[in-house]
Amino acid sequence: QSALTQPASVSGSPGQSITISCIGASTDVGSYKLVSWYQQHPGKAPKLMIYEDTKRPSGVSNRFSGSKSGNTASLTISGLQAEDEADYYCCSYAGTSTFVVFGGGTKLTVL
Amino acid sequence: QLQLQESGPGLVKPSETLSLTCTVSGGSISSSSFYWGWIRQPPGKGLEWIGSIYYIGSTYYNPSLKGRVTISLDTSKNHFSLEVNSVTAADTAVYYCARHPTYSTSSVDPWGQGTLVTVSS
């Protein structure tokens, strides 16, 4: 069982927006501005899409955005494109004992 | 541009020790700004952080794996290593090495391409 809870799957049509939630606890997501999101296509290494809750690395489309409220972080993808179909994982710093925790992953299907 | 490359046996027998090395190019593992970590992904499943090491040798391990895992580094060879002992089929996974900043610990980037390790007799 993963430390962070994500929905197993979400779907949307091209052009639509979707949001993936990531539920943590006051010891991880809720305590630090250190939630990140990763996109993983089949057979590929994960790619950093959002860091420090809301920031986008250089080169990542502004269609991807992150937010957080309390112990729940969210990834929103607007203007869905076929290439966005992938698995998405959230990740949080969880203090010096547990250090880093991942969510179980969400499979995004673009209909 | 920083690159990481995992290497090691692709097949390990049950009860034996899994050993992998991550060679870093385009940057130094002696940087005070970064941790160097290992993450794994069983076939068809999600990501699991295994542990990380800091350039002075400080280590941080996933509590669920602690006791079976050792991460070390060799600054002269600019690489760091992972050992998992007493492996079972549950340790079969793609193993990734990666870098993450001390000032933004959950921002894992870049990642190696990953290497599949199968535990089987």
Side-chain angles (χ1 to χ4, degrees):
Chain A
Q1 187 173 357
S2 302
L4 306 180
T5 301
Q6 298 179 233
S9 63
V10 297
S11 63
S13 299
Q16 288 186 332
S17 296
I18 63 95
T19 297
I20 300 171
S21 61
C22 172
I23 302 171
S26 58
T27 52
D28 40 62
V29 172
S31 282
Y32 310 96
K33 196 174 169 62
L34 289 173
V35 172
S36 54
W37 290 90
Y38 301 87
Q39 176 191 65
Q40 186 180 36
H41 287 110
K44 300 295 186 182
K47 175 186 176 183
L48 179 66
M49 304 300 285
I50 296 289
Y51 68 101
E52 294 176 7
D53 291 1
T54 61
K55 297 178 181 179
R56 265 189 319 274
S58 174
V60 171
S61 170
N62 59 10
R63 297 185 300 105
F64 291 82
S65 62
S67 62
K68 191 173 77 176
S69 178
N71 297 336
T72 301
S74 299
L75 172 71
T76 297
I77 309 173
S78 59
L80 270 180
Q81 299 179 1
E83 67 205 49
D84 300 331
E85 186 163 292
D87 293 325
Y88 291 85
Y89 294 89
C90 62
C91 176
S92 177
Y93 177 65
T96 55
S97 296
T98 309
F99 217 58
V100 172
V101 290
F102 282 97
T106 298
K107 182 175 181 59
L108 169 62
T109 301
V110 180
L111 302 170
Chain B
Q1 183 179 353
L2 189 82
Q3 293 186 317
L4 299 93
Q5 177 68 59
E6 306 89 350
S7 60
L11 181 64
V12 181
K13 289 181 169 55
S15 81
E16 294 190 346
T17 297
L18 178 162
S19 297
L20 295 173
T21 295
C22 180
T23 300
V24 178
S25 58
S28 172
I29 66 169
S30 298
S31 169
S32 60
S33 297
F34 299 100
Y35 297 110
W36 305 92
W38 289 95
I39 297 148
R40 70 181 183 180
Q41 184 172 35
K45 297 188 177 181
L47 300 170
E48 179 183 36
W49 174 71
I50 300 171
S52 300
I53 191 165
Y54 191 44
Y55 80 107
I56 55 174
S58 308
T59 51
Y60 307 85
Y61 297 125
N62 185 325
S64 69
L65 296 170
K66 203 169 184 178
R68 289 204 302 131
V69 171
T70 302
I71 297 175
S72 59
L73 57 78
D74 186 333
T75 55
S76 68
K77 295 181 179 177
N78 214 41
H79 72 208
F80 61 105
S81 301
L82 170 71
E83 288 191 343
V84 182
N85 58 39
S86 305
V87 297
T88 69
D91 294 307
T92 293
V94 174
Y95 285 75
Y96 295 98
C97 61
R99 182 187 75 171
H100 54 125
T102 57
Y103 49 85
S104 185
T105 311
S106 66
S107 306
V108 184
D109 181 67
W111 299 59
Q113 65 183 26
T115 187
L116 175 63
V117 178
T118 301
V119 178
S120 174
S121 55

PDB file of all heavy atoms in Angstrom, chain A residues 83-106:
ATOM      1  N   GLU A  83      -0.780  12.586 -26.630  1.00  0.00           N
ATOM      2  CA  GLU A  83       0.546  12.309 -26.058  1.00  0.00           C
ATOM      3  C   GLU A  83       0.568  12.374 -24.532  1.00  0.00           C
ATOM      4  O   GLU A  83       1.536  11.953 -23.910  1.00  0.00           O
ATOM      5  CB  GLU A  83       1.567  13.301 -26.610  1.00  0.00           C
ATOM      6  CG  GLU A  83       1.335  14.743 -26.165  1.00  0.00           C
ATOM      7  CD  GLU A  83       1.916  15.755 -27.126  1.00  0.00           C
ATOM      8  OE1 GLU A  83       1.669  15.639 -28.335  1.00  0.00           O
ATOM      9  OE2 GLU A  83       2.600  16.677 -26.646  1.00  0.00           O
ATOM     10  N   ASP A  84      -0.498  12.912 -23.931  1.00  0.00           N
ATOM     11  CA  ASP A  84      -0.563  12.976 -22.470  1.00  0.00           C
ATOM     12  C   ASP A  84      -0.933  11.634 -21.862  1.00  0.00           C
ATOM     13  O   ASP A  84      -0.831  11.456 -20.644  1.00  0.00           O
ATOM     14  CB  ASP A  84      -1.584  14.029 -22.014  1.00  0.00           C
ATOM     15  CG  ASP A  84      -1.254  15.421 -22.511  1.00  0.00           C
ATOM     16  OD1 ASP A  84      -0.057  15.718 -22.719  1.00  0.00           O
ATOM     17  OD2 ASP A  84      -2.200  16.223 -22.703  1.00  0.00           O
ATOM     18  N   GLU A  85      -1.386  10.694 -22.685  1.00  0.00           N
ATOM     19  CA  GLU A  85      -1.756   9.375 -22.185  1.00  0.00           C
ATOM     20  C   GLU A  85      -0.509   8.705 -21.623  1.00  0.00           C
ATOM     21  O   GLU A  85       0.470   8.450 -22.312  1.00  0.00           O
ATOM     22  CB  GLU A  85      -2.378   8.530 -23.285  1.00  0.00           C
ATOM     23  CG  GLU A  85      -2.915   7.196 -22.784  1.00  0.00           C
ATOM     24  CD  GLU A  85      -3.872   6.535 -23.761  1.00  0.00           C
ATOM     25  OE1 GLU A  85      -4.971   7.064 -23.960  1.00  0.00           O
ATOM     26  OE2 GLU A  85      -3.486   5.478 -24.311  1.00  0.00           O
ATOM     27  N   ALA A  86      -0.556   8.426 -20.314  1.00  0.00           N
ATOM     28  CA  ALA A  86       0.608   7.926 -19.591  1.00  0.00           C
ATOM     29  C   ALA A  86       0.191   7.622 -18.160  1.00  0.00           C
ATOM     30  O   ALA A  86      -0.955   7.842 -17.766  1.00  0.00           O
ATOM     31  CB  ALA A  86       1.739   8.966 -19.593  1.00  0.00           C
ATOM     32  N   ASP A  87       1.139   7.119 -17.379  1.00  0.00           N
ATOM     33  CA  ASP A  87       0.935   6.969 -15.943  1.00  0.00           C
ATOM     34  C   ASP A  87       1.515   8.202 -15.255  1.00  0.00           C
ATOM     35  O   ASP A  87       2.556   8.717 -15.657  1.00  0.00           O
ATOM     36  CB  ASP A  87       1.636   5.719 -15.424  1.00  0.00           C
ATOM     37  CG  ASP A  87       1.017   4.441 -15.957  1.00  0.00           C
ATOM     38  OD1 ASP A  87      -0.212   4.406 -16.146  1.00  0.00           O
ATOM     39  OD2 ASP A  87       1.764   3.465 -16.178  1.00  0.00           O
ATOM     40  N   TYR A  88       0.830   8.646 -14.194  1.00  0.00           N
ATOM     41  CA  TYR A  88       1.275   9.814 -13.447  1.00  0.00           C
ATOM     42  C   TYR A  88       1.422   9.450 -11.973  1.00  0.00           C
ATOM     43  O   TYR A  88       0.550   8.788 -11.395  1.00  0.00           O
ATOM     44  CB  TYR A  88       0.280  10.968 -13.612  1.00  0.00           C
ATOM     45  CG  TYR A  88       0.296  11.531 -15.018  1.00  0.00           C
ATOM     46  CD1 TYR A  88      -0.474  10.940 -16.017  1.00  0.00           C
ATOM     47  CD2 TYR A  88       1.112  12.614 -15.348  1.00  0.00           C
ATOM     48  CE1 TYR A  88      -0.436  11.435 -17.316  1.00  0.00           C
ATOM     49  CE2 TYR A  88       1.152  13.113 -16.636  1.00  0.00           C
ATOM     50  CZ  TYR A  88       0.382  12.506 -17.624  1.00  0.00           C
ATOM     51  OH  TYR A  88       0.426  12.991 -18.911  1.00  0.00           O
ATOM     52  N   TYR A  89       2.545   9.893 -11.394  1.00  0.00           N
ATOM     53  CA  TYR A  89       2.829   9.594  -9.998  1.00  0.00           C
ATOM     54  C   TYR A  89       3.077  10.884  -9.235  1.00  0.00           C
ATOM     55  O   TYR A  89       3.782  11.780  -9.712  1.00  0.00           O
ATOM     56  CB  TYR A  89       4.077   8.725  -9.872  1.00  0.00           C
ATOM     57  CG  TYR A  89       3.928   7.339 -10.451  1.00  0.00           C
ATOM     58  CD1 TYR A  89       4.222   7.082 -11.780  1.00  0.00           C
ATOM     59  CD2 TYR A  89       3.480   6.291  -9.653  1.00  0.00           C
ATOM     60  CE1 TYR A  89       4.066   5.802 -12.317  1.00  0.00           C
ATOM     61  CE2 TYR A  89       3.331   5.015 -10.174  1.00  0.00           C
ATOM     62  CZ  TYR A  89       3.624   4.779 -11.509  1.00  0.00           C
ATOM     63  OH  TYR A  89       3.468   3.516 -12.020  1.00  0.00           O
ATOM     64  N   CYS A  90       2.527  10.960  -8.024  1.00  0.00           N
ATOM     65  CA  CYS A  90       2.883  12.052  -7.141  1.00  0.00           C
ATOM     66  C   CYS A  90       3.946  11.549  -6.166  1.00  0.00           C
ATOM     67  O   CYS A  90       4.132  10.346  -5.976  1.00  0.00           O
ATOM     68  CB  CYS A  90       1.680  12.597  -6.385  1.00  0.00           C
ATOM     69  SG  CYS A  90       0.854  11.419  -5.287  1.00  0.00           S
ATOM     70  N   CYS A  91       4.642  12.509  -5.574  1.00  0.00           N
ATOM     71  CA  CYS A  91       5.749  12.189  -4.675  1.00  0.00           C
ATOM     72  C   CYS A  91       5.850  13.319  -3.668  1.00  0.00           C
ATOM     73  O   CYS A  91       5.590  14.479  -3.996  1.00  0.00           O
ATOM     74  CB  CYS A  91       7.041  12.074  -5.490  1.00  0.00           C
ATOM     75  SG  CYS A  91       8.538  11.788  -4.542  1.00  0.00           S
ATOM     76  N   SER A  92       6.201  12.993  -2.439  1.00  0.00           N
ATOM     77  CA  SER A  92       6.357  14.024  -1.428  1.00  0.00           C
ATOM     78  C   SER A  92       7.536  13.730  -0.519  1.00  0.00           C
ATOM     79  O   SER A  92       7.853  12.567  -0.242  1.00  0.00           O
ATOM     80  CB  SER A  92       5.084  14.141  -0.582  1.00  0.00           C
ATOM     81  OG  SER A  92       5.242  15.096   0.448  1.00  0.00           O
ATOM     82  N   TYR A  93       8.168  14.786  -0.054  1.00  0.00           N
ATOM     83  CA  TYR A  93       9.127  14.657   1.031  1.00  0.00           C
ATOM     84  C   TYR A  93       8.315  14.345   2.288  1.00  0.00           C
ATOM     85  O   TYR A  93       7.198  14.843   2.461  1.00  0.00           O
ATOM     86  CB  TYR A  93       9.915  15.943   1.205  1.00  0.00           C
ATOM     87  CG  TYR A  93      10.892  15.920   2.346  1.00  0.00           C
ATOM     88  CD1 TYR A  93      11.986  15.066   2.335  1.00  0.00           C
ATOM     89  CD2 TYR A  93      10.728  16.764   3.439  1.00  0.00           C
ATOM     90  CE1 TYR A  93      12.900  15.045   3.387  1.00  0.00           C
ATOM     91  CE2 TYR A  93      11.636  16.750   4.487  1.00  0.00           C
ATOM     92  CZ  TYR A  93      12.720  15.892   4.463  1.00  0.00           C
ATOM     93  OH  TYR A  93      13.612  15.873   5.506  1.00  0.00           O
ATOM     94  N   ALA A  94       8.873  13.508   3.161  1.00  0.00           N
ATOM     95  CA  ALA A  94       8.119  13.062   4.332  1.00  0.00           C
ATOM     96  C   ALA A  94       8.952  13.122   5.611  1.00  0.00           C
ATOM     97  O   ALA A  94       8.716  12.353   6.544  1.00  0.00           O
ATOM     98  CB  ALA A  94       7.610  11.645   4.104  1.00  0.00           C
ATOM     99  N   GLY A  95       9.936  14.022   5.641  1.00  0.00           N
ATOM    100  CA  GLY A  95      10.730  14.157   6.848  1.00  0.00           C
ATOM    101  C   GLY A  95      11.954  13.263   6.851  1.00  0.00           C
ATOM    102  O   GLY A  95      12.112  12.401   5.971  1.00  0.00           O
ATOM    103  N   THR A  96      12.795  13.433   7.831  1.00  0.00           N
ATOM    104  CA  THR A  96      14.095  12.755   7.824  1.00  0.00           C
ATOM    105  C   THR A  96      14.007  11.254   8.085  1.00  0.00           C
ATOM    106  O   THR A  96      14.930  10.526   7.748  1.00  0.00           O
ATOM    107  CB  THR A  96      15.032  13.385   8.858  1.00  0.00           C
ATOM    108  OG1 THR A  96      14.387  13.363  10.130  1.00  0.00           O
ATOM    109  CG2 THR A  96      15.379  14.809   8.474  1.00  0.00           C
ATOM    110  N   SER A  97      12.918  10.783   8.655  1.00  0.00           N
ATOM    111  CA  SER A  97      12.808   9.341   8.917  1.00  0.00           C
ATOM    112  C   SER A  97      12.330   8.579   7.691  1.00  0.00           C
ATOM    113  O   SER A  97      12.927   7.590   7.282  1.00  0.00           O
ATOM    114  CB  SER A  97      11.857   9.087  10.087  1.00  0.00           C
ATOM    115  OG  SER A  97      12.372   9.638  11.276  1.00  0.00           O
ATOM    116  N   THR A  98      11.240   9.036   7.105  1.00  0.00           N
ATOM    117  CA  THR A  98      10.653   8.362   5.941  1.00  0.00           C
ATOM    118  C   THR A  98      11.224   8.882   4.632  1.00  0.00           C
ATOM    119  O   THR A  98      11.274   8.161   3.641  1.00  0.00           O
ATOM    120  CB  THR A  98       9.127   8.506   5.966  1.00  0.00           C
ATOM    121  OG1 THR A  98       8.641   8.105   7.239  1.00  0.00           O
ATOM    122  CG2 THR A  98       8.476   7.666   4.882  1.00  0.00           C
ATOM    123  N   PHE A  99      11.602  10.091   4.608  1.00  0.00           N
ATOM    124  CA  PHE A  99      12.310  10.792   3.524  1.00  0.00           C
ATOM    125  C   PHE A  99      11.438  11.075   2.300  1.00  0.00           C
ATOM    126  O   PHE A  99      10.989  12.170   2.111  1.00  0.00           O
ATOM    127  CB  PHE A  99      13.575  10.039   3.146  1.00  0.00           C
ATOM    128  CG  PHE A  99      14.723  10.942   2.795  1.00  0.00           C
ATOM    129  CD1 PHE A  99      15.182  11.866   3.712  1.00  0.00           C
ATOM    130  CD2 PHE A  99      15.347  10.876   1.556  1.00  0.00           C
ATOM    131  CE1 PHE A  99      16.235  12.718   3.415  1.00  0.00           C
ATOM    132  CE2 PHE A  99      16.398  11.732   1.254  1.00  0.00           C
ATOM    133  CZ  PHE A  99      16.848  12.640   2.170  1.00  0.00           C
ATOM    134  N   VAL A 100      11.227  10.062   1.448  1.00  0.00           N
ATOM    135  CA  VAL A 100      10.491  10.277   0.201  1.00  0.00           C
ATOM    136  C   VAL A 100       9.431   9.198   0.038  1.00  0.00           C
ATOM    137  O   VAL A 100       9.706   8.021   0.253  1.00  0.00           O
ATOM    138  CB  VAL A 100      11.448  10.244  -1.015  1.00  0.00           C
ATOM    139  CG1 VAL A 100      10.664  10.269  -2.325  1.00  0.00           C
ATOM    140  CG2 VAL A 100      12.423  11.406  -0.973  1.00  0.00           C
ATOM    141  N   VAL A 101       8.223   9.613  -0.341  1.00  0.00           N
ATOM    142  CA  VAL A 101       7.135   8.650  -0.562  1.00  0.00           C
ATOM    143  C   VAL A 101       6.481   8.945  -1.906  1.00  0.00           C
ATOM    144  O   VAL A 101       6.382  10.101  -2.320  1.00  0.00           O
ATOM    145  CB  VAL A 101       6.076   8.700   0.552  1.00  0.00           C
ATOM    146  CG1 VAL A 101       6.645   8.140   1.857  1.00  0.00           C
ATOM    147  CG2 VAL A 101       5.561  10.115   0.775  1.00  0.00           C
ATOM    148  N   PHE A 102       6.043   7.881  -2.572  1.00  0.00           N
ATOM    149  CA  PHE A 102       5.350   7.995  -3.851  1.00  0.00           C
ATOM    150  C   PHE A 102       3.883   7.600  -3.699  1.00  0.00           C
ATOM    151  O   PHE A 102       3.516   6.844  -2.792  1.00  0.00           O
ATOM    152  CB  PHE A 102       5.982   7.065  -4.898  1.00  0.00           C
ATOM    153  CG  PHE A 102       7.248   7.579  -5.495  1.00  0.00           C
ATOM    154  CD1 PHE A 102       8.483   7.158  -5.001  1.00  0.00           C
ATOM    155  CD2 PHE A 102       7.226   8.469  -6.555  1.00  0.00           C
ATOM    156  CE1 PHE A 102       9.665   7.626  -5.558  1.00  0.00           C
ATOM    157  CE2 PHE A 102       8.407   8.934  -7.119  1.00  0.00           C
ATOM    158  CZ  PHE A 102       9.624   8.510  -6.614  1.00  0.00           C
ATOM    159  N   GLY A 103       3.078   8.099  -4.614  1.00  0.00           N
ATOM    160  CA  GLY A 103       1.717   7.617  -4.739  1.00  0.00           C
ATOM    161  C   GLY A 103       1.702   6.340  -5.575  1.00  0.00           C
ATOM    162  O   GLY A 103       2.704   5.986  -6.193  1.00  0.00           O
ATOM    163  N   GLY A 104       0.562   5.686  -5.599  1.00  0.00           N
ATOM    164  CA  GLY A 104       0.445   4.424  -6.312  1.00  0.00           C
ATOM    165  C   GLY A 104       0.357   4.549  -7.827  1.00  0.00           C
ATOM    166  O   GLY A 104       0.464   3.544  -8.535  1.00  0.00           O
ATOM    167  N   GLY A 105       0.165   5.774  -8.305  1.00  0.00           N
ATOM    168  CA  GLY A 105       0.112   6.001  -9.738  1.00  0.00           C
ATOM    169  C   GLY A 105      -1.301   6.050 -10.290  1.00  0.00           C
ATOM    170  O   GLY A 105      -2.212   5.387  -9.763  1.00  0.00           O
ATOM    171  N   THR A 106      -1.492   6.862 -11.317  1.00  0.00           N
ATOM    172  CA  THR A 106      -2.782   7.013 -11.992  1.00  0.00           C
ATOM    173  C   THR A 106      -2.590   6.863 -13.485  1.00  0.00           C
ATOM    174  O   THR A 106      -1.737   7.541 -14.070  1.00  0.00           O
ATOM    175  CB  THR A 106      -3.390   8.397 -11.698  1.00  0.00           C
ATOM    176  OG1 THR A 106      -3.622   8.539 -10.298  1.00  0.00           O
ATOM    177  CG2 THR A 106      -4.708   8.576 -12.459  1.00  0.00           C
TER     178      THR A 106
END
